[in-house]
Amino acid sequence: MQRSAAALALLLEQAQALDKRLILLIDNLDIVLERLSEQDWEIRRIIAAEPRLLLVGATSRALATAYEYGRSFYD
């Protein structure tokens, strides 16, 4: 957790230094979220709270986390 917090801080620091928003383009988002399933609520919290980050993801299948009530990316 400490390593991911440091990486996020560095990413946001660079965005601030450049005075830019960052677009995170993630292909195979379903695979990424499956592998990070324990952190999906934290990922959602960061993306929702941080105006300097925008996530654009692509997947070849529907994400259960996006259509099942109570899941992290439902709404």
Side-chain angles (χ1 to χ4, degrees):
M1 191 66 161
Q2 194 173 22
R3 189 171 161 189
S4 61
L8 177 62
L10 181 62
L11 188 66
L12 295 176
E13 180 182 303
Q14 289 300 310
Q16 186 70 28
L18 296 170
D19 193 29
K20 301 286 183 188
R21 291 183 69 194
L22 302 177
I23 300 175
L24 308 172
L25 302 172
I26 302 176
D27 197 15
N28 298 314
L29 182 61
D30 55 328
I31 296 170
V32 173
L33 290 178
E34 282 176 7
R35 291 182 181 169
L36 298 174
S37 63
E38 294 180 10
Q39 292 102 359
D40 60 346
W41 282 101
E42 181 64 12
I43 293 167
R44 180 198 165 121
R45 185 195 65 74
I46 291 167
I47 296 299
E50 184 49 64
R52 292 171 284 185
L53 298 178
L54 176 65
L55 175 86
V56 177
T59 180
S60 61
R61 60 186 171 132
L63 296 174
T65 190
Y67 67 79
E68 289 181 355
Y69 181 75
R71 299 285 300 267
S72 57
F73 290 95
Y74 176 71
D75 61 348

